[in-house]
Amino acid sequence: MARKDPLHFLNVPRQMPRTTPASLRIQEFKEITGQYDRDQASEQAARCIDCGNPYCEWECPVHNYIPHWLRLVEDGRLFEAAELSHKTNSLPEMCGRICPQDRLCEGACTLNDGYGAVTIGSVEKYITDEAFKQGWRPTVDAEPSGKQVAVIGAGPAGLACADVLIRHGVQPVVFDRYAEIGGLLTFGIPPFKLEKDVVRTRRAVMEEMGVQFVLNTEIGSDVSMEKLLADYDAVFMGMGTYQAVTGGFPGESLPNVHPALDYLIGNIRQVEGWAQQGPGYIDLKDKRVVVLGAGDTAMDCNRTAIRQGAASVTCVHRRGEGQLRGSRKEYKNAREEGVKFLFNRQPVAIVEEDGKAVGVRFMRTRLTTDGDGQTRIEQVEDSEEVIDADAVVVAFGFRPQPAEWFKANRITVHEDGRVLAAPRGPFYMQTSNPQIFAGGDMVRGADLVVTAVYEGRQAAMGIIEYLGLGRIELPGQQLDYQTAV
């Protein structure tokens, strides 16, 4: 179908859905970005100029067919758009909310050079939300093969793997230690970015498709890995990364110095009214909070503390403002909500008084270039300063934590704890134990939700071939995408 107006992108500016003003949104833990209606979604989708070589599609880790489903939305063919979106992505409504589109698809959009990128993420979110609301569901047409696969971890990698398996006639049974599915989608990402009803809806949809969930179950204690290997034809591991990276400086073990994930999980359980399991609720109301780190997890901690009513929140990064590791959108949101940022400062110690933290000692930093042209961070002499704090949140990232049962089950890991899985074969994402496959953060290290989805889908392809059910190639699963091993 011909484009109605080839100059539409000139006549209609980029327009995001309504965003709740900062003064109001900091008073609640609800998503801050609203939803398009049908006409708005169509109008914004029509801004796509349908490039001959769609950079947005190549920059997307799952290689979504972005221009194609934008055209379907423009034409009002919602269910077809939902079907196409799900061919490459098992969790599009979540990726539309939390992917850093500014440095992926939208950052690569041709219109980003002066006209404003197409609002790809917001349209992606609209497609699945609205399609589900109108009764659309993913199709499961394959005849049951009689094969069963145990999936360990109900995070994005595990859910993506289960989605592909059930669509190809393989019964997935998903085990998770928590009482809700989603992994860090549920317990790590605050509701102001991803409301938990979205995850619950996805669970209901997957159960309708035939996926089984066994929750509140820890592999290694409640059920042994040996039993899974005996009872199932294959096993997929998608347990993520939960071990906090520490700074290695004095004072990190003080009682009011909190690992980021403990802080976020406790708060989400409090907001959702769930019983505490593990670290409890950490209330930073009226406290001077210092957050160390500047990735997306740090931004989540910043914005959570603001909503809890902290007296002040100061986020400190050892690099400059131009070297932020996280989404620029999240940085902008945090600044609007009242977070103060300090750059080029490296923590060297937590200041202790009467057995608790009362501040953080920093040294100023600068970037230098060595003889090989490599940049590195160095501390500036005589630049020490102390920032007062009633609470410190450490958000330096996460690393894998190999389970005790790995060795007994011949699962090989890298020196840093990442599971060794073959990205290209003979069976995609197969570990050193041929019956076990793995993907997501525990293979590549802490990364994006969308890359975990990609690897979960890759693993499902490998499992299906390993089970003797034939070789499949999923749309969007090009092997040129770099998988960490």
Side-chain angles (χ1 to χ4, degrees):
M1 183 180 293
R3 187 72 71 183
K4 301 179 181 67
D5 177 6
L7 298 180
H8 183 81
F9 72 96
L10 290 174
N11 299 324
V12 175
R14 170 185 168 95
Q15 184 65 55
M16 289 288 290
R18 176 192 57 80
T19 300
T20 304
S23 60
L24 298 178
R25 69 189 190 227
I26 64 174
Q27 300 176 32
E28 59 187 12
F29 283 92
K30 294 182 179 179
E31 289 184 15
I32 73 169
T33 304
Q35 183 73 282
Y36 287 136
D37 61 26
R38 174 176 174 169
D39 290 343
Q40 291 168 331
S42 175
E43 183 177 69
Q44 290 299 309
R47 295 188 68 248
C48 174
I49 61 175
D50 201 10
C51 303
N53 185 6
Y55 301 111
C56 60
E57 187 173 310
W58 283 105
E59 196 63 30
C60 171
V62 293
H63 301 300
N64 281 325
Y65 296 143
I66 295 169
H68 297 80
W69 47 249
L70 287 172
R71 177 64 67 88
L72 291 170
V73 171
E74 177 189 353
D75 294 340
R77 295 154 65 184
L78 176 65
F79 285 10
E80 292 174 68
E83 191 68 46
L84 185 60
S85 176
H86 278 74
K87 285 186 181 300
T88 54
N89 191 347
S90 299
L91 305 173
E93 75 282 17
M94 300 185 201
C95 291
R97 286 169 162 85
I98 59 180
C99 267
Q101 289 95 6
D102 52 344
R103 56 188 173 94
L104 292 175
C105 55
E106 293 182 18
C109 177
T110 301
L111 295 183
N112 204 33
D113 187 14
Y115 299 101
V118 177
T119 55
I120 297 168
S122 295
V123 175
E124 181 179 36
K125 180 180 78 165
Y126 161 81
I127 290 170
T128 299
D129 282 357
E130 188 60 29
F132 280 170
K133 191 184 302 181
Q134 293 186 27
W136 176 85
R137 293 293 183 269
T139 54
V140 180
D141 297 327
E143 289 294 323
S145 65
K147 302 291 188 180
Q148 284 194 318
V149 173
V151 176
I152 308 174
L159 295 178
C161 183
D163 171 57
V164 173
L165 291 174
I166 196 70
R167 286 170 175 259
H168 288 82
V170 178
Q171 176 64 61
V173 180
V174 185
F175 295 83
D176 199 276
R177 59 179 172 168
Y178 290 120
E180 303 283 336
I181 76 161
L184 292 183
L185 291 168
T186 295
F187 293 98
I189 296 176
F192 51 77
K193 288 170 60 177
L194 174 63
E195 291 181 10
K196 305 315 165 188
D197 279 347
V198 177
V199 185
R200 285 189 280 269
T201 296
R202 175 57 66 175
R203 174 181 175 178
V205 168
M206 295 190 76
E207 287 177 334
E208 287 178 30
M209 295 168 69
V211 176
Q212 297 176 20
F213 292 101
V214 180
L215 304 178
N216 285 317
T217 302
E218 179 112 32
I219 304 304
S221 55
D222 298 314
V223 177
S224 71
M225 184 60 159
E226 289 77 8
K227 181 169 176 55
L228 294 186
L229 292 171
D231 293 349
Y232 294 88
D233 299 291
V235 175
F236 172 76
M237 301 192 309
M239 290 103 79
T241 54
Y242 285 83
Q243 183 176 357
V245 174
T246 59
F249 43 76
E252 283 187 281
S253 60
L254 292 170
N256 54 334
V257 178
H258 309 291
L261 199 53
D262 289 357
Y263 173 55
L264 293 173
I265 290 175
N267 182 75
I268 290 169
R269 287 187 174 281
Q270 180 78 8
V271 170
E272 296 296 317
W274 295 331
Q276 291 292 343
Q277 176 183 344
Y281 179 57
I282 300 168
D283 188 1
L284 300 184
K285 180 178 174 59
D286 297 329
K287 297 186 184 298
R288 296 167 299 174
V289 179
V290 173
V291 176
L292 305 179
D296 288 338
T297 299
M299 299 304 160
D300 292 345
C301 294
N302 292 329
R303 301 176 64 199
T304 294
I306 287 287
R307 283 161 174 77
Q308 286 185 341
S312 65
V313 179
T314 304
C315 184
V316 189
H317 186 37
R318 65 179 182 146
R319 298 179 181 269
E321 185 176 8
Q323 290 87 47
L324 287 171
R325 291 170 31 233
S327 166
R328 301 293 300 188
K329 178 177 66 175
E330 291 305 306
Y331 170 57
K332 175 178 177 291
N333 287 334
R335 288 187 68 98
E336 289 177 353
E337 292 169 6
V339 177
K340 178 182 178 181
F341 286 85
L342 295 177
F343 297 100
N344 297 115
R345 289 168 174 83
Q346 182 154 351
V348 294
I350 306 290
V351 180
E352 179 181 356
E353 186 177 300
D354 296 329
K356 65 179 182 179
V358 295
V360 184
R361 181 174 289 112
F362 295 93
M363 295 285 287
R364 289 186 179 269
T365 63
R366 61 188 172 206
L367 283 179
T368 62
T369 304
D370 60 24
D372 296 329
Q374 299 295 316
T375 59
R376 61 185 179 86
I377 300 172
E378 69 173 19
Q379 295 179 357
V380 178
E381 293 185 9
D382 301 322
S383 63
E384 189 173 286
E385 62 181 315
V386 173
I387 299 175
D388 294 335
D390 303 309
V392 180
V393 180
V394 181
F396 291 147
F398 314 100
R399 60 167 57 100
Q401 190 172 17
E404 293 180 358
W405 42 263
F406 275 22
K407 186 175 182 180
N409 290 283
R410 297 178 289 119
I411 301 168
T412 302
V413 299
H414 294 273
E415 290 183 1
D416 62 3
R418 291 179 297 117
V419 173
L420 179 64
R424 289 171 172 81
F427 302 109
Y428 301 144
M429 309 310 292
Q430 188 178 46
T431 71
S432 50
N433 182 326
Q435 195 179 349
I436 302 173
F437 295 72
D441 288 1
M442 68 184 305
V443 169
R444 68 166 52 241
D447 206 341
L448 304 175
V449 167
V450 68
T451 55
V453 168
Y454 176 88
E455 289 193 349
R457 292 169 63 85
Q458 283 282 100
M461 290 197 301
I463 291 169
I464 289 166
E465 186 174 6
Y466 167 78
L467 296 178
L469 301 177
R471 184 178 180 87
I472 65 169
E473 290 290 348
L474 295 175
Q477 296 292 109
Q478 292 95 331
L479 294 181
D480 57 283
Y481 189 73
Q482 293 300 309
T483 301
V485 294

